Each structure stands twice: as structure tokens, then as C-alpha cells.
């Protein structure tokens, strides 16, 4: 069973889940996510699969926000695996638009369920891809965590957006997007509803953001047309990433939406892509300065990488 321990120096929760050490290295000839495994329906398009080794669990004791030295509390929450396709060997970059649209539909449905759960404060839809990231399962999938608290980096981002909004009534994301569109040098691609660009301040090599053109807060606020546009830009961006160095890009994809509870009109839906490949042969490790100090050394320049990605074949 997982527990949360309070880090009094950094003022954040650490999820201690010793049972996750027992995660098996999957046998090469069997995958629980494949139709016929007995673990998933024999016939599915996309599927929400409960994580077998959860960091957060519905069975854990309830979460209490009280903090202090040597404080622990229950890691109550949810963790699901989102299966993008029944096809074991498909890369996310090979999903059809129709399939991406189904994945987005599942993200929206699960987000709505978790927003209605009184114990969930924040819903993180994300994907870890690539052996270099530590993914043990090649089957195309992402994950959804329902947190009993707002995780610290999201809390910091929410504070920044809220403070900016209080200062001049504007949305910090809308302003950044307008400046990026005007400048153009860091734009990778765009469509009616979304813009993909490499942020001026990116921390990871070839870090990218997909930002909604319209100001809205969460997945469920998207119109049908916007969801279709998002599917199309996700597909394009993933193809470009995998073609950049000629092999699947190891990356983290993080969907950023408003917290599950309360009104957050200052927040603006976006997706961050955090790749860890800094050149065809080199991985970016989060070493002393990043892990120990929280300052990132980015070995790529957003302007140069964006120019290269604009030219990169999206096929
Ligand atoms: Zn599989
Ligand atoms: Zn906005």
C-alpha cells in the first residue's frame, strides 16, 4: 500500500510505493493489454485499464492535508492506463486521426468522472513514452492520475496565472500565445483551434506546447470541432517528433487543465511535450543541477529546433 510522506523542506508530498519495485519486466510473448489476454475486452478501440501497480489507490486511507515533520497520510486517488489501440506494435505517431479522436473522447469521459469525485483535486492526463523514460510496456498507452491534492508544479503554474490575471485582468497563456504567433520563429504548426510552438523558456530539449487558441480551462470544455483539431495537431506533432532523429522520440506528454474543484477562469488549457533526447545519440539526464537545484540546462535553442521541426516530414 502506498503512503504519502510530507517533505518539510520542499513543502511537498512524496508518494512512497515500495510495492512498485515488484513490477515485472513483461515477457516478450505476452501483453496484458492485447485482446485475448483475458485482462482486456476481446474487442476494443480504446480502453481504460486500472493500473496494476498504483501509486494512488481508492483502497488507501483517506488523504489529509495536515502537514508537519514525519507526517504521513493516505495515498487515496486513482491511476488508470489509457490504451490507445488494441494493436501492440503501433506507435502513438502511427495512430489514425479517428483513433486519436477516440483517445481524446476517453480522456474527456474519465476527466468528467474524476472531477465529480469528491476526493479528487487534480486530474493529470499524461503519457510516458520510450525505453529511455523507463517505460516497460511497448503497447501504445498513456495514463490518468486522480490526485488528492494539486501537484506542486501545477500549483506553481496556477499561482503564476492567477497572479498575472489579478494584476492586469489578462490571461498569461493568451498573451504568450499572441506573442508567439506574432513572432512566428518558434511556431511548429497550427490549425483552426490549436497552435504548436516551442516555448521561449522551454526546459527540456525541443520542448513543445500545444495551446488552445480559444481561452478555456479543461478537456471537457472543448467543442467537437476543437477536439477534432486537437486530434489532428497531436498526430502531426508526434509524427514530426518521431521523424526528427529517425526513431521514436522518448518523451513525456502532459495535459494541463484546471483543478477538479472551484472556478479557475484565469487558467488556459494546454499540453506540454517534454522530450529527453537532446541529439540523435544523446539523452538529456536530469542530473545535479536539474534534480538537485531545480534549474534546467537546455542544450537546444527553441528557435533553431522549431525551424528544423517545421521542415521535418510529418508523414
Ligand atoms: Zn500489447
Ligand atoms: Zn487564455
Amino acid at each position: 500500500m502506498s503512503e504519502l510522506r510530507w517533505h518539510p523542506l520542499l513543502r511537498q508530498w512524496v508518494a512512497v510505493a515500495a510495492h512498485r519495485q515488484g513490477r515485472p519486466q513483461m515477457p516478450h510473448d505476452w501483453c496484458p493489454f492485447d485482446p485475448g489476454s483475458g485482462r482486456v475486452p476481446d474487442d476494443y478501440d480504446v480502453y481504460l485499464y486500472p493500473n496494476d501497480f498504483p501509486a494512488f489507490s481508492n483502497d488507501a486511507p483517506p488523504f489529509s492535508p495536515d502537514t508537519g515533520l514525519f507526517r504521513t497520510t493516505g495515498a487515496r486517488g486513482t491511476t488508470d492506463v489509457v490504451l490507445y489501440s488494441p494493436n501492440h506494435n503501433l506507435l502513438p505517431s502511427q495512430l489514425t486521426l479517428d483513433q486519436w479522436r477516440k483517445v481524446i473522447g476517453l480522456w474527456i469521459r474519465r476527466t468528467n468522472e474524476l472531477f465529480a469525485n469528491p476526493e479528487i483535486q487534480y486530474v493529470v492526463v499524461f503519457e510516458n513514452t520510450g525505453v529511455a523514460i523507463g517505460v516497460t510496456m511497448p503497447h501504445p498507452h498513456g495514463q490518468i492520475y486522480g490526485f488528492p491534492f494539486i501537484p506542486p508544479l501545477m500549483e506553481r503554474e496556477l499561482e503564476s496565472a492567477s497572479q498575472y490575471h489579478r494584476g492586469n485582468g489578462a490571461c498569461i497563456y493568451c498573451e504568450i500565445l499572441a506573442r508567439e504567433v506574432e513572432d512566428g520563429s518558434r511556431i511548429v504548426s497550427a490549425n483552426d483551434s490549436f497552435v504548436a510552438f516551442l516555448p521561449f523558456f522551454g526546459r527540456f530539449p525541443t520542448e513543445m506546447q500545444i495551446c488552445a487558441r480559444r481561452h478555456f480551462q479543461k478537456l471537457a470544455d472543448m467543442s467537437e470541432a476543437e477536439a477534432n483539431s486537437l486530434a489532428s495537431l497531436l498526430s502531426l506533432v508526434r509524427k514530426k517528433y518521431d521523424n526528427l532523429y529517425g526513431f521514436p522520440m522518448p518523451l513525456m506528454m502532459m495535459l494541463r487543465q484546471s483543478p477538479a474543484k472551484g472556478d479557475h477562469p484565469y487558467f488556459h488549457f494546454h499540453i506540454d511535450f517534454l522530450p529527453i533526447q537532446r541529439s540523435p545519440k544523446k539523452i538529456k539526464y536530469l542530473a545535479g543541477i536539474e534534480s538537485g537545484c531545480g534549474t534546467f540546462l537546455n542544450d537546444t535553442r527553441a528557435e533553431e529546433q522549431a525551424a528544423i521541426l517545421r521542415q521535418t516530414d510529418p508523414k
Side-chain angles (χ1 to χ4, degrees), residues 170-175 211-217 265-269:
C171 165
I172 193 168
Y173 305 95
C174 283
E175 299 224 343
C211 191
R213 286 189 190 270
R214 183 172 69 84
H215 181 83
F216 65 87
Q217 281 75 50
Y266 53 85
F267 190 71
H268 186 132
F269 176 80

